[in-house]
Amino acid sequence: MNKAESERLGSYLEQLGYRATATAEEADFILLNSCVVRQSAENRIINKLNALKPLKRLRPEITLAVTGCLVNSKTDQLKESFPHVDHFFKPGDCPTGIEKTKLEQILPQHPSPATFVPVIQGCDNFCSFCIVPYRRGREKSRPVAEITDEVKELVLRGVKEVTLLGQNVDSYGNDLVDKPDLADLLHELNTIDGLARICFLTNHPKDMSTKLIDAVAHLDKVCEQICLPVQSGSNSILKAMRRGYTVEHYRQLIAEIRSKIPGVALSTDVIVGFPSETEEQFRQTLSLLSELRFDTVHVAAYSPRAGTIASREYEDNVPQDEKRRRQNKIEQLEEGIATEINARLSGKTVEVLVEGKKKDKWQGRTRSGKLVFVSDKGNHPGQLVNIRIEKTSPWSLQGKVENKQH
Ligand code: SF4
């Protein structure tokens, strides 16, 4: 979401006449988009803000603004801690100027061939560890027609793939008058000429419906990739996290997805070291991950976020070293699993949407979201290319161009 919003903030500033500079020192306007989902992210933004103090002292005419989840509804304390910041504004808002314009209504000027489209903001779930509902507020969906018009415009600007974003995309439409759901939105977007791929992030195991799984299975533009955060393999930890589902339900959901969507790539998120997580409970998570064999696992060590239910009710009592050990263990397990899953693609031909160049190689992604590098002299950005995979690793694939599609 932050990536999408940064892209739109950049376009907004361009509309006001600003141009990007290579360094902060050359800038007249510095805008930091913050994330506080974990303590490490919060530390990064605070360090960055402190590092900008000498520059602001040297050039007081610079405008320094901060947005993102560091900014809550009461900014007094932030203003006191960071008096050198000129503006704080809430995530999803615009810095100044266009009154009542929401950031999501500003289109990226030079979008990548694969770009993001926020479809629902906020979250009503209040998982006990999560700060998001406190910073991004309650769920608010954008109407289907508004999203459809935007995607059509993005296609005219060269976009081939859109990723629909929401903290919980399964809640999409609950707050709209005619209550469309994500499957309805996918049906609508699937009819847009020139659009090749549709992806979405992030689902919630408690809310994901059979109707949505069927839509992914049947709509040709909707890609075979699903991110379904499990967070823990222990039912008692899931309960303390207030996730609203059990391991058994999660397992069934994965089975349904795999049976209906052949070749689907599944990713998940896991938190280790949630308060009082025992070795046995951690082992349940490890064993669930070995059983379900995800393409990607994002693992994070629990860190208490002020104001959340977990930070009020539970002591952060798993030592830091132990959290790190559990995190490493999952990373090692997943490295082995991803190595095997990706090795199966060796010698196969996959469709890649080329997004750009990294050093001397083109890079793009398959429909299942796998990163592919290609050495080829041709000019491919924004094109769908068939690539024969020659080398695989747990993190990416490499191959040669077979032929260009369109
Ligand atoms: S569903 Fe996701 S965004 Fe919402 S409270 Fe839970 S973890 Fe946070």
Side-chain angles (χ1 to χ4, degrees), residues 125 168-172 181-183 186 200-217 222-223 225-229 243-245 249-250 252-258 260-261 264-267:
N125 275 321
N168 176 8
V169 284
D170 295 301
S171 294
Y172 174 75
D181 59 22
L182 183 63
L186 292 175
F200 50 86
L201 280 173
T202 298
N203 292 91
H204 196 305
K206 156 174 86 64
D207 300 321
M208 193 175 191
S209 67
T210 291
K211 182 178 170 191
L212 177 64
I213 298 171
D214 291 341
V216 180
V222 179
C223 293
Q225 49 170 300
I226 287 173
C227 177
L228 196 60
R243 290 287 289 171
Y245 55 86
H249 173 77
Y250 188 87
Q252 271 171 19
L253 203 49
I254 296 286
E256 183 181 354
I257 293 169
R258 284 195 163 134
K260 290 182 172 167
I261 313 168
V264 66
L266 287 166
S267 59

Side-chain angles (χ1 to χ4, degrees), residues 123 125-127 129-130 132-133 167-168 204 231 243:
C123 186
N125 275 321
F126 292 92
C127 299
F129 53 82
C130 185
V132 167
Q167 271 77 39
N168 176 8
H204 196 305
Q231 306 298 11
R243 290 287 289 171

